[in-house]
Amino acid sequence: MEFPADLKYTDNDEWIRVEGDIGTTGITNYAQDQLSDIVYLEIATAVGERLEKGETLAEVESVKAAAYIYMPVAGIITEINEELADTPEMVNSSPFDEAWMVKYEIIDPAELEGLLDMTAYEKHCQEREH
Amino acid sequence: MIEPLIYELSSPGREGVQLPEADVPQTEFPKGLTREGLPLPELSEIDVMRHFVRLSQFNHGVDTGFYPLGSCTMKYNPKINEDTARLPGFAFSHPLQDPEMAQGNLALMYGLQEWLGEIGGFAGVSLQPAAGAHGELTGILIIRAYHLDRGDNKRTKILVPDSAHGTNPATTTMSSMEVIEIASDERGNVDLNALRGHCDDCVAGLMLTNPNTLGLFEEHVTEVIKLIHDCGGLVYGDGANMNALLGVVRPGDLGFDVLHYNLHKTFSTPHGGGGPGSGPVGVLKHLIDYLPDPIVDVIEEGNDEVPPLYGLVRPSKSIGRVKSFHGHFGVAVRAYTYMRMQGKSGLRAVADHAVLNANYLRVRLRDTYHVPYDRICMHEFVAEGCWEDAPEVHAFDIAKRLMDFGIHPPTNYFPLIVREALMIEPTETESIEMLDAFVEAMIRIAEEARSDPEILKTAPHNTPLGRLDEVKAARQLVLCCRPAETNQS
Amino acid sequence: MAYIPHTDEDRRAMLAAIGLERMDDLYDAIPQDVRFPDLNLPDPVSEMEIMGELQALSEANLEVQHVSCFLGAGAYHHFIPSVVDHTLRRNEFYTAYTPYQPEISQGTLQAIYEYQSLMCNLTGMEVSNASHYDGATALAEAVILAYNQHRGKRSKVVLSPAIHPQFRQVVRTYSQGMGLTLVGDESLDNGVEELAGMLDKDTTLVAVQYPDFFGRIEDFSTLGEAAQEVGALLCVVVNPLALGLLTPPSDFGADVVVGEGQPLGIPLSYGGPYLGIFTTRKKYVRKMSGRLVGETVDNRGQRGYVLTLTPREQHIRREKATSNICTNQGLMALAIAVYLSVMGKHGLRKVAELCYHKAHYAAEQIAALEDYSLWHDGPFFHEFAVTCPRPVAEINDRLIDYDILGGYDLGQDYPILKDHMLIAVTEVNSKEEIDDLVAALEEMAHD
């Protein structure tokens, strides 16, 4: 399983793409594979809201599981992906691109330092396989 | 489609019952408050009867075949229970009639309270909770009320082992308490060190299922309970697995402060396709005053000539009502019938044979299916439904394939701490011949997993329907059908 | 030994296979000091004997088939067609459990799907769950739904004082740790207008009953609008049988409809098991607790039914689930599905009309008596409150001598309604029974 090198990751399987002071977040390929067919997604925040690192930004459900998606770093929500509510299966088909969930203004770039890079995250996934 | 929906069988103008004409003068209906036409189907009685008989034939029940669904205690439901519950004085008495005119019901309820108390080692019992989960809510609210009543306001943590039923953590949240998950050790017990680390003056209590969901009796139960009591907490017992303990050990003697029973598991009342259950709660003496309102008590002692007078009484510090009226009385009649017929010796024999059957299956299957916590179990055990040399096959496939042998699959994917879990509970009412037939089917499935995995992956083959598309059901929600005319409009 | 098939030889063979000598060896893990208590329980009895014992207990009760029953207050004596119990006695239905394995549970699943459909159509709502324990717990679950819908940010619940007292008690029990403020039911004077006046941006739910506890019926449209204005949910507690005649609560803008399902084919059975109706709008389906059945197809292309949206539930979501409910009232839901199918479009309407006409006849006759009057003069369904010339308990004590089970003593729950009796009349009460009741009441006023 491959993971984009230009992203940062959390050990709860969120990714973050940083462009200037804007972060974009969704869940990883590994996470969608573990959940299997995603049937429901609810963004639990709104544009303009400030969420702290670790606060819930979305909930997803497959047939057999439910998962909560958390903010990798603190941010003020600038955009949410409205399309996902109607097509949650995009999380399965395009986790790193079309199925981004929220964009936000990063409040403290120093928080990015604590996140995993591709290699560290890949290792984290392999460890859980066994 | 294997059977049309009731609305699809409807024919305009057809009627299923004949009702008498009004024998009183008619009164005008209130303006603006009545509806036009009722969106209900139109069928004759035979259409209805045949429809539901056909539907019943698509079901597997205990009376159809073996049903080793772990943690659900699918024992045989004696037919006499159904007859006693329908005796007219029980089935046609009104919950609000004067208790003096319901003395038979109250005597029965009082008797059941007493027997449940005796079996569990508890001083007080409420029959009000409608199901196991409802009993859990009742019990945790009692624990909460107890601490608050003593001015002990900071106890908000409930400790829950990781092997617990999902209802335990959900109940805790519903009672506005915080869940702290406790790990299990390598023998399937509560990890004492993990537990010790969480015992402080914020602990309201511990929810403990014993035997636990691995079917194992908690080996350190005395230490576990002492740890909780020493830090000022109370211990809640999830009595889902009480079948193994009848006449063997009383949770109250072990120090459990409060426990729920499942009449629909342990005491043979039918599961009804998912309910009604009944989840009475027993408590030690210090919690009696907090029981739900009302309980049945003796108002005037009887003597040789006159029976006692029973009444409904509100415990002084009651958490309140948890449901309307007096609980699932009809279920209580069935449980009473069963307990009375089994008596003291019969109830012990129930536990003995439930445990014997589970252990027999465990030893006969363990060479074929890995049993991760392989020691003498109680009423059930958990095996793994997967093999390294058959990587394609999962517990799910084994479950589906078992249906082709006319057997209801064990519980799968629970408890969460065993991978590909198959939780097997045979109950005491199954004979050695049935158990052997199950073992043979399981062994054959294990062989197929290597020789012809496809037959498992595509199972079941002999059922009216094949595997159902649960993803479609969840993505394109179709949750009800409308009558034909509304569909067209 | 009844219900245990093991012979001595079976036991020997099985113990040998396990590697144990005696049955008692199975329990080595249990602390010795408390093992094998000597229980104070009676000895076993045979099937023949138990029937006699239980018949005696049964006969020690008054039962509504042998008296004229005018007692309701949330549990009603109605006619139940035979086909209902014949279906409930089908072993395949009542000895099955929750339909976890859809391929061998289509009977239960389709019956629940039909129950859900019948409930949606009767209440006018879009989604029904597979049922709650009873009407009272369904109302408590409605409060929890609203609370979660508002993400715990609204803390006020407005309850009409005319909701069944026991339902309100159960809501208070369920919510005791939730930090909610329950208002509205402190005074019987709080009608629709007053309740609407209590709604604000902190209100999560307002609940009313229809017909209310006193049998009264009214239009709740303005309350529905007021609730919508502040973003609160409107919950209507119904008697489903009354909906055979009355405008469905969906017309009032109800967000949740709950109710006691007992009138639809479930015997009185001294208060249970009954069934809690829970229907709502599709937009709240994810916040709704309880089992839910949905339509799908199998791998052979056939239509079938499965439990769906299960990740809402406790076995998956654990401490994050909104309710701990595990089962539904499966067999009771089946009873209602059969009852509504056989009564059908015309039958249910007719039963509701009979209840209405007979209750109005009774009310008119009682109101004409010198010392009795109706407490309320607006529209009602099949139950009404009567102001009596003496304590209700006294009247009821005397009525029983005439084989009449009198109405409910409202003073028990509403001190202001001392000497007020709540009388229920259904299709099973003949004109003769009603006339006898009226005559007895009249006689009693005079001596």
Side-chain angles (χ1 to χ4, degrees), chain C residues 371-416:
Chain C
D371 299 294
Y372 296 83
S373 59
L374 296 188
W375 172 65
H376 175 258
D377 53 8
F380 64 95
F381 176 57
H382 75 342
E383 215 164 5
F384 52 92
V386 173
T387 312
C388 303
R390 56 171 65 189
V392 174
E394 233 174 78
I395 297 175
N396 278 339
D397 268 355
R398 300 268 304 275
L399 284 176
I400 207 68
D401 295 337
Y402 297 90
D403 286 336
I404 294 170
L405 180 58
Y408 184 72
D409 182 355
L410 287 168
Q412 296 175 82
D413 303 293
Y414 302 89
I416 198 174

Side-chain angles (χ1 to χ4, degrees), chain B residues 59-111:
Chain B
N59 258 11
H60 180 105
V62 175
D63 288 357
T64 343
F66 190 34
Y67 211 130
L69 187 65
S71 125
C72 298
T73 315
M74 301 301 291
K75 62 171 72 178
Y76 176 69
N77 310 128
K79 301 306 111 177
I80 182 73
N81 295 352
E82 297 308 305
D83 294 339
T84 54
R86 286 170 173 86
L87 285 169
F90 301 140
F92 297 102
S93 47
H94 193 289
L96 296 173
Q97 72 194 40
D98 188 338
E100 287 193 26
M101 292 186 285
Q103 286 297 302
N105 291 341
L106 295 177
L108 184 146
M109 290 170 73
Y110 185 79

Side-chain angles (χ1 to χ4, degrees), chain B residues 7 21 28 35 42 59 63 92 94 105 118 133 171 173 248 273-274 321 325 344 352 357 466 469 482, chain C residues 6 24 27 36 38 40 53 61 64 75 91 96 108 121-122 166 173 296 298-299 319 324 328 346 350 356:
Chain B
Y7 276 103
E21 291 307 318
E28 204 180 318
R35 72 200 288 176
E42 297 167 79
N59 258 11
D63 288 357
F92 297 102
H94 193 289
N105 291 341
E118 179 65 16
T171 297
T173 305
V248 173
R321 272 189 176 280
F325 309 125
K344 178 179 169 176
D352 284 352
N357 277 2
D469 187 346
R482 301 291 182 185
Chain C
H6 301 64
D24 285 2
Y27 302 112
F36 309 137
D38 183 23
N40 178 21
E53 275 190 28
N61 299 313
V64 297
N91 310 45
T108 297
N121 293 331
L122 194 60
Q166 296 196 358
T173 305
T296 188
D298 75 350
N299 58 5
E319 72 274 11
N324 71 350
N328 66 329
H346 310 287
K350 181 138 191 195
Y356 181 88

Side-chain angles (χ1 to χ4, degrees), chain C residues 161-174:
Chain C
I163 293 177
H164 197 297
Q166 296 196 358
F167 285 34
R168 289 183 282 118
Q169 287 165 21
V170 171
V171 170
R172 287 195 159 83
T173 305
Y174 266 58

